[in-house]
Amino acid sequence: MAKVALAIHGGCGVMAQLDLSDAEWTAAREDLARSLKAGWTVLSAGGSALDAVEAAVVVMEDSPHFNAGHGAALNENGVHELDASIMDGTTLAAGAVSAARSIRNPVKAARAVMEKGDAVLLTGGAADQFAEKTGLAVEPQAYFTTERRVKALAAMKAHEASGTAAAAKESEKHGTVGAVALDASGHLAAATSTGGYNNKPDGRVGDSPIIGAGTYARDGVCAVSGTGKGEFFIRHVVGHEIASRMAYLNESLEAASDKVIHQDLKPHQIGAGLVAVAADGSIAAPYNTDGMFRGWVTTEGEIFVATHDQVFQLETFPA
Ligand code: ASP
């Protein structure tokens, strides 16, 4: 089989290791492994990178462990507004939705936007209506809510009231899910989905649905999906910046992504991370927080998942 590779993240808003039980960390790693399995099943059957990243992201949107779909963050009004995008590195076709309130799997809506018309990005009620008309599942707001996010919103409101928002834990603030893949035909794709950050302003749109910022893919170069305070990913056009450094400066994937996460974003003192795959199948997953939910399958078929420093190699995917 030609080389294929896959990497995913479940956001850099990971709690301190001691804040959750071993059983909860194991459950989160299992969901990462299930996401990898969904993407890898597509790639190993000769399927497209686009189908693989969509399949991997859907699993994390459906999991309560990550800030996307079910388990998404709440905005300042206690409302879920969901952002997602997907990009095809072959044609540079892309689709996105932002501030959607009812789409069960926003990444599927992003894919439908990409495939069904001229628009790259549909927003708000129009995105919800488009998804429903397309036949995608829609849900009441309550479907997206988990106890953890309700508590995180209360914690952020308390920080706001006492002027200590900057001291909030990364896990109280944000999270995102994303996937990048190289398929057997040498094509690259990236997808990202998020509830944004807890207590975000009504109508705020982050980097995840912004092509070039939170999501980017270009065949022959790399595919990138980011997580972290989106405003800075937009300002630094992170995904495109990494691809440009590789294309114009001939930097490796690792050097280009480390430069952006550890140097360019450093002065802003924000939590940030990403996963990326290059055209040769190499993978990078830098982050500057305590941890980042992440996993990858190498071109050799080796499977890894991690939440903090320790990286676990799995013998096989979960049943
Ligand atoms: N990038 C996301 C946003 O700003 C949040 C995150 O990844 O933590 O909407």
Side-chain angles (χ1 to χ4, degrees), residues 9-125:
H9 69 82
C12 66
V14 173
M15 294 186 206
Q17 201 132 19
L18 293 177
D19 285 356
L20 286 186
S21 66
D22 277 352
E24 285 169 303
W25 288 120
T26 305
R29 285 198 301 272
E30 261 168 27
D31 279 358
L32 290 171
R34 288 196 308 109
S35 164
L36 285 174
K37 181 182 181 181
W40 196 253
T41 302
V42 173
L43 293 173
S44 54
S48 72
L50 259 187
D51 286 343
V53 294
E54 180 182 339
V57 165
V58 163
V59 171
M60 291 186 283
E61 287 179 337
D62 289 345
S63 163
H65 294 294
F66 313 112
N67 175 0
H70 176 56
L74 291 155
N75 76 6
E76 62 181 355
N77 296 331
V79 172
H80 300 282
E81 290 195 329
L82 312 171
D83 296 342
S85 68
I86 192 163
M87 185 167 190
D88 179 354
T90 309
T91 57
L92 305 186
V97 291
S98 64
R101 293 184 172 200
S102 64
I103 306 170
R104 182 184 175 103
N105 291 110
V107 72
K108 290 189 184 176
R111 175 86 183 255
V113 170
M114 180 178 100
E115 287 174 347
K116 289 193 168 38
D118 271 354
V120 167
L121 171 60
L122 290 181
T123 196

Side-chain angles (χ1 to χ4, degrees), residues 12 83 174-176 194 196-197 204 206-208 226-231:
C12 66
D83 296 342
H174 54 102
T176 286
T194 189
Y197 63 87
R204 176 264 188 189
D207 60 313
S208 304
T227 168
K229 189 74 188 294
E231 282 66 15

Side-chain angles (χ1 to χ4, degrees), residues 134-212:
T134 308
L136 295 173
V138 291
E139 301 286 352
Q141 279 270 306
Y143 163 79
F144 302 102
T145 310
T146 57
E147 198 191 327
R148 184 174 299 162
R149 299 297 174 212
V150 172
K151 282 190 185 151
L153 179 62
M156 287 306 294
K157 294 269 185 214
H159 280 302
E160 200 176 51
S162 59
T164 56
K169 295 179 194 168
E170 291 299 327
S171 58
E172 288 168 344
K173 288 192 273 194
H174 54 102
T176 286
V177 309
V180 292
L182 168 72
D183 67 27
S185 309
H187 298 313
L188 294 167
T192 311
S193 180
T194 189
Y197 63 87
N198 293 309
N199 206 26
K200 66 183 180 179
D202 189 33
R204 176 264 188 189
V205 173
D207 60 313
S208 304
I210 305 300
I211 297 303

